[in-house]
Amino acid sequence: MTASMRPFHASDLPGMYRVCLLTGAAGEDATALYRDPELLGHVYCGPYPTADPGLSFVVVDEQGIAGYVVATADTAAFATWCERAWWPVLRARYPRLADPRDGTADHVLRAQIHDPGSPSVPASAPAHLHIDLLPRLQGHGWGRRLIETLADALRDRGVPGVHLGVDPRNTRAVAFYEHMGLVRDTAYGDGHRMVLDLR
C-alpha cells in the first residue's frame, strides 16, 4: 500500500494523537516529555476535527495514520466553541498540576487547558491550522498536498487567510512554510506566527 490522502474520519483520532505526540517536540518525538500521551492531542489536534471535520485531512500508509492537517476557519469562534464544548470535560479530567521537576511537561498543558488565553488573530488570516507529518513521509510532497488541500477548502468558504504557530527551533518546518508562501507575521513567547494569504 502506498501513502494516500483523504478526508478525516472519526476513527482516525487515535492515530492522529500518536502522530501529534511523535512530532510534538519541535518536530521531534515528545513521548519522553509527557506522562499522559494523549495530552498533546487533546490540546493541538482533537478539538479541530470534532468542531469542524470538513477542515481535517489525513495521510495514511501501510502503517496507519502518518500525518494530518487540522484547522478552523474562524479562530475566535473556535475559541468560544472550545470554552463551551471542549475544555470543560478536560478540566475535570486534568486538574492543575505542580511542576514535578522531573523533565516532564504535563503540568504545562494542564495549565493551558485551564487557561487557554485569548487568541491573537490577524485580521487578514482568521483561520488557523496545525499540521504534523511523521519523518517517514517527510520530503515526499505530502505536507504540500495537505496544506494545498486545506487552502482550497478554506477558499471555498471565502476565508482570506490562515495562520499557524511554529517553534523557531524547528528550522525544517520554518523553511517548509516559507517555501509554501507563508510569511512571518509576529513573534510571541517562544514561537513565530506565520500567515498564508489565500486571496
Side-chain angles (χ1 to χ4, degrees):
M1 174 184 173
T2 57
S4 61
M5 184 178 65
R6 59 168 172 74
F8 164 82
H9 182 272
S11 64
D12 296 328
L13 270 180
M16 293 167 72
Y17 271 40
R18 180 175 176 274
V19 171
C20 187
L21 182 65
L22 292 176
T23 58
E28 302 296 325
D29 187 352
T31 301
L33 294 177
Y34 297 98
R35 292 182 175 180
D36 187 320
E38 294 188 330
L39 265 173
L40 266 177
H42 287 326
V43 174
Y44 293 110
C45 178
Y48 297 87
T50 303
D52 191 346
L55 293 178
S56 293
F57 302 90
V58 299
V59 177
V60 184
D61 66 8
E62 66 278 359
Q63 298 180 52
I65 302 294
Y68 63 82
V69 64
V70 295
T72 177
D74 185 331
T75 298
F78 176 73
T80 299
W81 177 88
C82 284
E83 194 59 39
R84 182 184 73 250
W86 190 255
W87 300 133
V89 171
L90 293 176
R91 286 169 183 157
R93 178 176 171 184
Y94 295 106
R96 292 181 186 270
L97 182 70
D99 184 351
R101 302 191 183 282
D102 61 0
T104 59
D106 297 59
H107 65 286
V108 176
L109 290 184
R110 285 178 178 232
Q112 193 169 333
I113 287 169
H114 286 269
D115 185 16
S118 300
S120 173
V121 185
S124 63
H128 80 265
L129 69 86
H130 294 283
I131 180 171
D132 289 305
L133 195 65
L134 293 179
R136 68 177 185 260
L137 288 189
Q138 292 176 9
H140 299 286
W142 290 109
R144 171 179 289 278
R145 290 183 63 183
L146 284 167
I147 287 183
E148 288 177 344
T149 300
L150 173 65
D152 287 342
L154 291 169
R155 287 189 189 97
D156 287 346
R157 299 189 186 192
V159 178
V162 60
H163 69 275
L164 57 79
V166 61
D167 188 323
R169 294 174 298 172
N170 193 347
T171 55
R172 184 172 180 176
V174 172
F176 165 70
Y177 296 140
E178 290 177 336
H179 184 70
M180 289 293 300
L182 283 87
V183 297
R184 298 186 195 193
D185 175 62
T186 189
Y188 56 90
D190 57 357
H192 297 307
R193 184 174 70 197
M194 301 184 73
V195 173
L196 179 63
D197 189 341
L198 299 176
R199 293 168 291 189

